[in-house]
């Protein structure tokens, strides 16, 4: 039975919608499954807002909201611009670009690598004015300490790394696309999952040192506190490093990254210098909470399980886009449509991923409170909000889509509930 092209397109579109909905539903189901439930009494957000207003002051809160609202507008504009450029490359190419892609098609895999790197560099350059505007606002508000020339040098290195990764990814995708056809998503899923593991494993020791200096935390009171808290939490802390974050920013932070031999706790030099001992202890305890519950491993497992349906959705969307644009389905012209499909699917799946991240961060807060008490966490969140110019209570829609941490008000509300005995 021969189906008309319109019927085939409708069937492919139906398959795309089904795969996309399936990917989103699986992501949400896994997020709910992987979240560690917290049992607390009622959280009084109104009381937490009062705490923030009294401790930080209305003027500083207004300043933080002004800064963050502007940064949100820049972020939205950057995302829209990226999608517009990718859409243009996928569907509305000028004649010279079509001729170039035709020439690249003589050696499809190498041509795909060149096109992948070119698209990556183009996106970076198109977004550069908005990135400079964001950095300029950060410097104006006192958060950015890096000069423009130093920032541009880091930008160039980051663009080169992204272009190299894009070239490798595009070449691998082209080879698999040509060889496997409709089974592309099976092999690509395994490749993306392996990349995610290697990325988390090697990033701390290969890429991060290109941008900052990492020094092992020397013996002293801070290292002793880290070891004391790690012993109390019952975790193997791995390596503990101080990073020279002050060369780029005045923000306070710490984080955990790496797996296996590259696992490490990293503390900003700003935090070591500016935080009080209870605040620093709470910050360290929070990061050790991530180690205790193996949050990096849980995040990797979440990604690995979500990847197959996500990649299937990307394959179906790319196929429809290529059919619409009239490109050779076995040539490098597939790459812009593939990049556009990836961008859209990642954006959709990041919403449940970010929800899970907020639950993970709330659990790490609970671990910190259990180890160091609620007062340290409250003081820490107030200090972070003030020095990092965090919006204490960001717009609900923004927080739902993009928020990776609970808001300052939510975190303080939970700590205050704990302090009342509502655990």
């Amino acid at each position: 039975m021969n189906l008309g092209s319109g019927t085939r397109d409708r069937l492919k579109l139906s398959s795309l919608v089904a795969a996309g909905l399936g990917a989103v539903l699986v992501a949400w189901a896994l997020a709910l499954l992987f979240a560690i439930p917290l049992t607390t009494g009622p959280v009084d957000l109104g009381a937490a807002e009062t705490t923030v207003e009294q401790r930080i002051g209305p003027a500083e809160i207004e300043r933080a909201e002004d800064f963050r609202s502007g940064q949100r507008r820049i972020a939205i504009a950057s995302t829209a611009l990226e999608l517009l450029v990718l859409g243009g490359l996928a569907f509305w190419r000028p004649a010279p670009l079509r001729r170039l892609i035709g020439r690249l098609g003589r050696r499809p895999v190498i041509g795909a690598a060149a096109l992948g790197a070119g698209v990556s560099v183009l996106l970076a350059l198109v977004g550069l004015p908005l990135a400079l505007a964001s950095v300029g606002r950060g410097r104006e508000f006192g958060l950015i300490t890096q000069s423009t020339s130093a920032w541009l040098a880091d930008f160039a290195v980051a663009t080169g790394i992204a272009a190299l990764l894009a070239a490798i990814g595009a070449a691998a995708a082209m080879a698999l696309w040509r060889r496997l056809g409709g089974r592309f998503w099976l092999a690509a899923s395994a490749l993306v999952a392996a990349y995610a593991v290697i990325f988390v494993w090697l990033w701390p020791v290969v890429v991060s040192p290109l941008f900052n200096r990492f020094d092992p935390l020397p013996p002293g009171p801070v290292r002793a506190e880290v070891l004391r808290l790690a012993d109390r939490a019952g975790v193997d802390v791995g390596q503990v490093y101080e990073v020279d974050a002050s060369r780029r920013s005045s923000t306070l932070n710490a984080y955990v990254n790496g797996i296996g031999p590259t696992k490490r706790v990293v503390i900003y030099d700003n935090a070591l210098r500016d935080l009080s001992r209870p605040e620093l202890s709470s910050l360290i305890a929070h990061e050790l909470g991530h180690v205790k519950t193996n949050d990096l491993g849980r995040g990797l497992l979440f990604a690995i399980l979500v990847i197959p349906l996500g990649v299937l959705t990307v394959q179906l969307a790319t196929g429809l886009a290529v059919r619409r644009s009239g490109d050779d389905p076995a040539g490098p012209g597939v790459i812009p449509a593939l990049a556009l499909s990836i961008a859209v699917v990642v954006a959709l799946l990041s919403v449940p991923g970010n929800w899970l991240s907020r639950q993970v961060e709330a659990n790490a807060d609970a671990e910190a409170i259990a180890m160091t008490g609620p007062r340290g966490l409250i003081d820490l969140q107030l200090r972070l909000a003030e020095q990092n110019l965090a919006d204490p209570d960001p717009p609900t829609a923004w927080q739902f889509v993009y928020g990776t941490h609970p808001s300052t008000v939510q975190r303080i509300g939970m700590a205050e509930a704990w302090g009342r005995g509502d655990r």
Side-chain angles (χ1 to χ4, degrees):
M1 177 179 176
N2 293 323
L3 299 176
S5 60
T7 301
R8 287 197 298 270
D9 285 348
R10 285 192 293 273
L11 288 174
K12 289 179 179 179
L13 181 59
S14 298
S15 298
L16 169 61
V17 171
L21 285 175
V24 171
L25 290 174
V26 166
W28 273 111
L30 289 170
L32 291 166
L33 178 65
F34 283 12
I36 298 176
L38 295 175
T39 303
T40 64
V43 175
D44 189 344
L45 295 182
E49 289 176 356
T50 300
T51 300
V52 173
E53 290 174 0
Q54 290 176 343
R55 294 280 298 275
I56 297 179
E60 283 300 310
I61 293 174
E62 184 178 356
R63 182 168 175 264
E65 290 174 344
D66 179 37
F67 174 70
R68 292 299 169 183
S69 63
Q71 299 301 91
R72 286 193 288 267
R73 288 193 292 271
I74 291 174
I76 291 171
S78 297
T79 301
L81 183 60
E82 177 181 336
L83 293 176
L84 183 63
V85 170
L86 288 175
L89 292 174
F91 299 111
W92 303 291
R93 298 178 199 139
L97 181 56
R98 287 190 174 276
R99 288 194 293 270
L100 173 62
I101 291 176
R103 289 196 293 272
L104 292 175
R106 297 168 189 167
R107 302 185 69 180
V109 174
I110 295 176
L115 189 57
V119 170
S120 178
V121 172
L122 176 62
L123 290 175
L125 293 177
V126 168
L128 180 57
L130 287 171
L132 284 171
S134 177
V135 170
R137 295 187 79 252
R139 191 176 292 113
E140 176 188 348
F141 279 80
L143 284 185
I144 302 297
T145 58
Q146 194 175 29
S147 67
T148 301
S149 59
W151 184 89
L152 286 172
D154 283 350
F155 172 83
V157 173
T159 300
I161 292 171
L164 175 62
L165 294 176
I168 295 171
M174 189 78 267
L176 294 177
W177 190 275
R178 289 171 60 84
R179 185 176 183 83
L180 300 176
R183 294 173 296 162
F184 164 84
W185 69 281
L186 294 171
S189 296
L191 193 64
V192 173
Y195 168 79
V197 174
I198 294 171
F199 179 91
V200 174
W201 174 42
L202 292 181
W203 191 270
V205 294
V206 175
V207 178
S208 293
L210 297 175
F211 299 95
N212 289 97
R213 188 182 72 250
F214 294 81
D215 297 316
L217 198 63
V222 176
R223 185 171 182 83
E225 179 69 356
V226 172
L227 296 178
R228 182 186 73 82
L229 291 171
D231 181 66
R232 183 170 181 181
V235 301
D236 175 14
V237 70
Q239 300 296 322
V240 183
Y241 287 89
E242 173 185 354
V243 60
D244 63 337
S246 58
R247 68 174 285 268
R248 307 173 75 181
S249 170
S250 64
T251 56
L252 309 174
N253 208 349
Y255 60 88
V256 174
N257 65 356
I259 54 176
T262 68
K263 182 176 69 176
R264 57 186 57 193
V265 175
V266 179
I267 307 172
Y268 282 22
D269 57 350
N270 298 328
L272 292 171
R273 183 185 64 243
D274 296 340
L275 292 179
S276 68
R277 180 53 56 85
E279 292 166 349
L280 184 59
S281 294
S282 182
L283 179 65
I284 293 168
H286 173 95
E287 299 308 325
L288 292 177
H290 287 307
V291 178
K292 180 177 180 179
T293 51
N294 191 24
D295 290 335
L296 276 175
R298 201 142 40 99
L300 271 176
L301 182 59
F302 170 82
I304 289 169
L305 293 175
V306 169
I307 281 168
L309 274 177
V311 175
L312 176 59
T313 304
V314 166
Q315 173 183 308
L316 294 171
T318 302
L320 280 174
V322 169
R323 182 176 176 84
R324 181 180 179 85
S325 66
D327 284 303
D328 177 3
V334 169
I335 298 303
L338 182 65
L340 176 62
S341 301
I342 291 172
V344 173
V345 170
V346 167
L348 291 174
L349 297 182
S350 68
V351 177
N354 288 340
W355 181 88
L356 176 60
S357 176
R358 293 194 295 273
Q359 310 311 306
V360 165
E361 294 296 336
N363 182 70
D365 281 349
E367 295 287 350
I369 294 171
M371 283 189 276
T372 63
R375 179 50 53 189
L377 183 72
I378 292 171
D379 291 343
L380 172 65
Q381 293 307 318
L382 290 167
R383 175 65 72 89
L384 293 177
E386 187 171 12
Q387 187 147 338
N388 296 355
L389 287 181
D391 186 344
D393 191 18
T396 301
W398 177 271
Q399 180 72 355
F400 177 75
V401 175
Y402 295 106
T404 58
H405 291 62
S407 70
T408 300
V409 167
Q410 290 170 333
R411 300 175 89 167
I412 289 176
M414 185 180 77
E416 289 181 335
W418 189 292
R420 294 191 301 267
D422 297 326
R423 304 184 182 183

